[in-house]
Every structure is written in C-alpha cells, then in structure tokens.
C-alpha cells in the first residue's frame, strides 16, 4: 500500500468551521418519519490507558493511541491531522490534545467507555458492544488446558499428539492447535492447517471440525480456524510468544500473501438474540453490518457488507444510510487497527483523516430528528508503544443527536455494552432486551 504524499503545512490547531459539516437541523416534526442509528467503530482507536493496562506489559500504562498518533503525525507531516468532523463531534472534549478543538456547536453527547471485557480484542469488543457479557471470559494459555483439549479431540475421533514436546497439539497429523500470537497472550487460540497439504487430505472443513471441538472446551474469547497456503511445513513456523505462549507465526507462513486464505471465528457462547442487531431486526428495523462487523457479529436477518479498505467500508455505510426508513448500521473501520499492528503511525493518521471525511458525509445524511451517529472504538492499538499488540485503553463515545440541545458531557461508561444499550434506546428499543449494558445517561454537566 503506497503512502500518500504529505500535504502542505497548515495552522497549528484545526478550528471547528463556522458552518457545521452537517446541514442545519430541521425543525422536529410531531412524529419522526424515520430513526437511523449508525455506529462507526474505529478499530483500535483508544484515548488513554485504562488503570489495569500495565498488568501484562507495564509500559502499556503510557498507551494513548489518539494522542501519540496526533503528535507523531504533526512531526511527520509538518501539520496537524485534519480532523474537523471528529473535532465537531467532540473528540477534543474527551481527549485534551492541542490539535483537537475544545468547543463544538453541534448537538452532541460525548464521553468515553472502559472496555468491559478482559484484555483488548476486536471480537470480544464488538460482542460486548452489541450487548453480550464477556466480563467473565478467561485469559488463558493453551498449555494450561492441554489435557482438556486433548481429551475433547480424542473423544471426537481425532488423532492427537504433542509437537516435539511443546505445549501445542497436532490433530490428525495436519492441524496445529496453538496459542494465537497476533493478539494479546491468552486471548485467542487457533486451529491452523495447510490447505495445500493434500497428502493429509486436509480441507477447511477438516480444520473447522477441529476448531469447533476445541471451542467446546476452550475458556478463551475466541477460537479461530485458519487455513491457507504456506511456504513450508507449519512446524517450521512455530515460535515462542509473549507471556509463555507458543504458537504459529501466521504471517511468516505465507498464509496472508499466498492467496486462498480461509478464516472462521468461533466466539465464546453467548445469546445472540439478546444482542443489538438481533433485537433491532426482531423489531422490524433493517440491520446492516459493514466491514469486519459483518464477519464477527451474528444476526441472520442482517445485510452483510464485508470489506477491509476504508473507502469501501465508508461507501457501504453511506449506501445503507441512504436507504429509506428506520435502520441500524454497524460499521467497523479495520485499517486503523492494521496500521497499529504494523506500528505505522503515518498510515494510521491518514486513515483517521479518511474516516473524518466519511463522517462528514454521514452527518449530511443523518438529519432526521431521531437520527444518531455514534463514533467509538473497541480497544486501543498505539502504534508508538513498541509492540504490535492491542493496547487496553478507554475509547471515545461521540454521539451526534439531531435536534438535541447543545453539548452534553457523559459520565464514563463502565463497559462498551453501555454503548449498545444507548443505541438501543435511540432506536426506541428497550435496553433491557440486551444481555448486558445500561444506557449512558447524560451528566448534569453541560459543556461550555
């Protein structure tokens, strides 16, 4: 992915334009014709470390994805990032950075949310945000549960052995069961196999069969079935990870660059009927899941628009919002998270500018009296912190409320589930229908 050219220098602090990015709010009719709620999750966008962020890595107490990206991009580009829409939505009221405006005249409610689940993980973050209770999901290494996993696989008819005495398993001579090395230690386990391993008769269904059996006994948030075309035998790419984990170095295998990659995420058991998309669909509200949200959220009635490229994610989101009638749209911008994993600050900054422009376009469409735009994150991913893992950070909660009075400061939400409950209330749904979460009530404090 080629880097864009750096733009010319601009004044040091971007000001909120005198005219808001969205057209003037129309007068509120007696009965709203439609109610659209759009949740845009900027993947890996944190606004400061949570108090327990240093439990795994003490240095993570210094994590600040938003602030560090703003600082480093100012140095790299010779100008501040151009984020007028995020500024107008109140990001500067959540994160006191000099490059973010401290005032806005748009009708917004702003605050931040703790994650409400262990670690820092996209899957757990989105499930929690939609109303699942992931607070009791265990962070665990496979080594601590080898006997249980071996027994489950054997009982299911799989042949199981240890790989060279290491704490990972080989099922049916072909599928590695191992710690995931790309997320925080103990968050996820993988079942990985070569789709070109023809001598073993392996296909993705065989990998998935192993993964499902592991999922039945795994205490972790996610078991991921991964199949692809590798550059060599998978044991050649096994290495030690952080926190005593041992697993497959998946990027080194060539899975991501050789084509034909197949992945399926098997999450911890939860009642999807008590999550926001299903609750909305049962109430007759059309649901669209965009980007990574289409891959990891369950809702049989939802329209799915999977995409990775930010331009494509934004285009699908705008298309869904243009449709007539009530709707719930949940979109995930994944490339911010990818930039964090790559520790590429400049790419992260450019993705934020691209998102900002997309949010301006969304605001121009969300003009109905019941419309809501909620911008948030699922965890942090500070590209300056010195490692390629997610960071455990608070995330912003920026809510544009057409027709609402002024700017309201929200109290800290204890969980991302509160974001989902707030979205449910905006759609006229009872948040009690979710398994977890409480509507974030406006604080008594009104922003100056």
């Amino acid at each position: 992915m080629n880097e864009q050219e750096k733009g010319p220098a601009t004044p040091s602090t971007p000001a909120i334009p005198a005219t808001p990015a969205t057209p003037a709010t129309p007068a509120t009719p007696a009965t709203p014709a439609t109610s659209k709620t759009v949740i845009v999750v900027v993947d890996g966008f944190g606004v400061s470390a949570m108090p327990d962020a240093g439990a795994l890595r003490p240095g993570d107490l210094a994590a600040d994805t938003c602030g560090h990206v703003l600082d480093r991009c100012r140095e790299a580009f010779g100008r501040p990032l151009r984020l007028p829409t995020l500024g107008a939505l109140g990001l500067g009221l959540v994160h006191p950075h000099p490059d973010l405006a401290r005032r806005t005249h748009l009708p917004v409610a702003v605050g931040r949310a703790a994650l409400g689940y262990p670690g820092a993980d996209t899957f757990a973050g989105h499930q929690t945000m939609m109303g699942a209770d992931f607070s009791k999901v265990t962070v665990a290494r496979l080594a601590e549960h080898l006997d249980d996993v071996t027994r489950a696989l054997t009982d299911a008819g799989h042949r199981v052995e240890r790989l060279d005495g290491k704490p990972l398993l080989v099922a049916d001579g072909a599928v590695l069961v191992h710690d995931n090395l790309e997320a925080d230690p103990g968050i996820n386990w993988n079942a990985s196999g070569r789709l070109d391993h023809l001598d073993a008769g392996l296909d993705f269904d065989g990998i998935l069969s192993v993964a499902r059996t592991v999922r039945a006994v795994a205490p972790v948030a996610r078991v991921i079935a991964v199949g692809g075309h590798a550059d060599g035998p998978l044991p050649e790419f096994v290495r030690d990870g952080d926190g005593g984990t041992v697993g497959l170095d998946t990027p080194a295998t060539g899975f991501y660059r050789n084509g034909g990659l197949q992945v399926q995420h098997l999450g911890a058991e939860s009642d999807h009927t008590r999550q926001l998309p299903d609750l909305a669909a049962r109430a007759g509200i059309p649901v669209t899941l965009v980007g990574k949200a289409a891959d990891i959220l369950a809702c049989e009635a939802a329209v799915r628009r999977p995409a990775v490229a930010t331009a494509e994610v934004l285009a699908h989101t705008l298309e869904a919002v243009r449709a007539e009638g009530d709707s719930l749209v949940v979109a995930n911008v994944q490339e911010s998270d990818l930039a964090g994993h790559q520790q590429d600050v400049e790419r992260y900054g450019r993705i934020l500018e691209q998102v900002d422009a997309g949010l301006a376009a969304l605001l121009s469409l969300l003009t109905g009296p019941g419309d809501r735009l909620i911008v948030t994150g699922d965890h942090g991913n500070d590209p300056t912190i010195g490692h390629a893992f997610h960071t455990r950070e608070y995330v912003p909660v920026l809510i544009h409320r057409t027709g609402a009075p002024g700017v309201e400061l929200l109290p800290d939400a204890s969980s991302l589930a509160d974001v989902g409950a707030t979205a449910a209330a905006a759609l006229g749904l009872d948040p009690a229908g979710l398994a977890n979460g409480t509507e974030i009530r406006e604080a008594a404090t009104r922003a100056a």
Side-chain angles (χ1 to χ4, degrees), residues 81-263:
L81 286 180
R82 298 180 178 121
L83 306 176
T85 311
L86 283 166
L89 288 169
L91 181 59
L93 298 175
V94 175
H95 191 294
H97 192 280
D99 286 354
L100 295 171
R102 304 294 181 85
R103 292 176 180 271
T104 175
H105 52 271
L106 292 186
V108 294
V110 300
R112 63 180 189 171
L115 301 185
Y117 64 89
D121 177 64
T122 295
F123 182 86
H126 281 70
Q127 303 303 321
T128 300
M129 191 183 302
M130 293 300 105
D133 185 358
F134 267 51
S135 62
K136 297 178 177 62
V137 167
T138 301
V139 176
R141 298 172 300 162
L142 178 62
E144 298 162 0
H145 297 271
L146 278 178
D147 290 344
D148 291 340
V149 175
T150 299
R151 187 180 308 110
L153 288 168
T154 301
D155 290 347
H158 297 282
R159 177 169 51 90
V160 186
E161 56 190 329
R162 295 273 291 271
L163 178 65
D164 300 329
K166 295 182 173 66
L168 75 170
L169 303 175
V170 183
D172 303 325
V175 181
L176 292 185
V177 180
H178 59 93
D179 292 311
N180 179 302
L181 301 186
E182 295 174 82
D184 277 338
I187 295 290
N188 304 321
W189 298 348
N190 283 21
S192 304
R194 292 176 62 185
L195 297 180
D196 48 359
H197 200 165
L198 299 179
D199 58 330
L202 184 68
D203 60 12
F204 189 66
D205 285 341
I207 299 169
L208 192 54
S209 175
V210 171
R212 284 174 172 154
T213 301
V214 175
R215 171 70 278 172
V217 296
V220 296
R222 189 168 25 156
V223 173
I224 309 173
V226 184
H229 299 286
D231 295 336
L234 295 189
E236 294 181 0
F237 304 102
V238 169
R239 66 171 177 82
D240 294 340
D242 289 345
T245 56
V246 180
L248 188 68
D249 185 347
T250 305
T253 64
F255 277 6
Y256 295 154
R257 63 177 178 271
N258 291 339
L261 179 69
Q262 295 189 60
V263 178

Side-chain angles (χ1 to χ4, degrees), residues 1 80 127 133-134 282 298 319 418 425:
M1 301 178 189
Q127 303 303 321
D133 185 358
F134 267 51
R282 292 200 311 276
E319 179 185 5
D418 297 347

Side-chain angles (χ1 to χ4, degrees), residues 322-365:
R322 289 189 183 102
E324 294 184 1
D326 296 353
S327 62
L328 167 67
V329 182
V330 183
N332 172 281
V333 177
Q334 185 180 359
E335 285 192 303
S336 47
D337 188 55
L338 297 178
H341 286 307
Q342 294 162 350
Q343 301 175 69
D344 189 337
V345 181
E346 294 180 33
R347 183 188 179 198
Y348 200 120
R350 292 191 179 98
I351 294 299
L352 284 181
E353 290 189 330
Q354 192 176 3
V355 169
D356 194 272
L359 293 175
L362 278 172
L363 286 176
S364 71
L365 299 176

